[in-house]
Amino acid sequence: MFNSDPSLKTKNPKLPKAVMMMVEKNNLVMAIKTLAEEENISMEAAKARIDAYEHSLKVKQQQKLTTIANKQGIPNEALSFDREPEVREDTGILIKNKVKTTKSEQGFKSLQSGVESKLGDIGYKKPLIPYWAKRVSVIAIVMIGMFWILWRVFG
């Protein structure tokens, strides 16, 4: 069907590839200028389109990260997209038996619990003696045996 009113067209047509690449490389000023020149629109309109594209790009990245984290068993609380600096909570009261944990430690603990749950799901059991301890004990036994042999021969 023919649309006689041009103002009813889609408001955000797809951006040119060169402009998309500039936005992905965070070269926003050049992207706005290029888009405004190529399509003969105002700088404000170009900025609005680029902001919308940038927002959609960030949403897609967050969705990809969330799906990857869910596949790996990492809880959603461990992911933070805002990247704001940590705010220290000092109450001023010292409690002897309580240890405060920071957000990064809580994130590490949740990551560690996610890894342990994933290993438990696939049926992995921790060995009784770690591999490095076995290797060190074998090296120590060989060295003691060689020392004993040399001591008996030359002693």
Side-chain angles (χ1 to χ4, degrees):
M1 186 170 163
F2 178 71
N3 187 2
S4 62
D5 190 8
S7 65
L8 294 177
K9 287 183 179 177
T10 57
K11 294 189 178 185
N12 290 331
K14 193 170 181 181
L15 293 176
K17 246 187 182 163
V19 175
M20 284 188 211
M21 289 174 58
M22 288 181 203
V23 171
E24 289 170 3
K25 292 180 180 179
N26 285 333
N27 196 352
L28 299 177
V29 175
M30 282 300 297
I32 292 171
K33 286 182 181 179
T34 306
L35 184 62
E37 287 175 6
E38 284 183 6
E39 298 189 0
N40 293 329
I41 57 175
S42 67
M43 293 283 217
E44 291 86 24
K47 182 183 181 306
R49 282 184 54 194
I50 288 176
D51 286 344
Y53 174 74
E54 189 178 19
H55 178 70
S56 68
L57 190 67
K58 285 182 182 179
V59 168
K60 286 179 186 176
Q61 288 174 348
Q62 288 176 358
Q63 288 174 348
K64 285 180 184 178
L65 286 175
T66 305
T67 56
I68 291 170
N70 288 339
K71 286 180 182 177
Q72 293 179 353
I74 300 171
N76 289 338
E77 296 84 34
L79 299 175
S80 64
F81 297 111
D82 51 356
R83 301 288 186 222
E84 293 179 2
E86 274 187 27
V87 179
R88 292 193 66 131
E89 298 175 6
D90 291 332
T91 58
I93 300 171
L94 296 176
I95 300 173
K96 187 175 184 180
N97 295 331
K98 184 178 178 184
V99 177
K100 281 190 170 183
T101 58
T102 61
K103 287 184 180 180
S104 62
E105 289 174 355
Q106 290 172 350
F108 179 73
K109 286 181 181 178
S110 65
L111 176 67
Q112 190 175 15
S113 66
V115 169
E116 288 176 0
S117 68
K118 187 69 173 176
L119 289 175
D121 290 344
I122 62 174
Y124 177 77
K125 294 182 181 176
K126 286 177 115 178
L128 193 59
I129 300 172
Y131 184 72
W132 63 269
K134 291 178 188 175
R135 189 171 269 195
V136 167
S137 63
V138 168
I139 292 171
I141 290 171
V142 168
M143 288 178 66
I144 290 171
M146 288 179 62
F147 177 74
W148 183 75
I149 291 170
L150 291 173
W151 182 60
R152 296 297 282 170
V153 170
F154 296 110

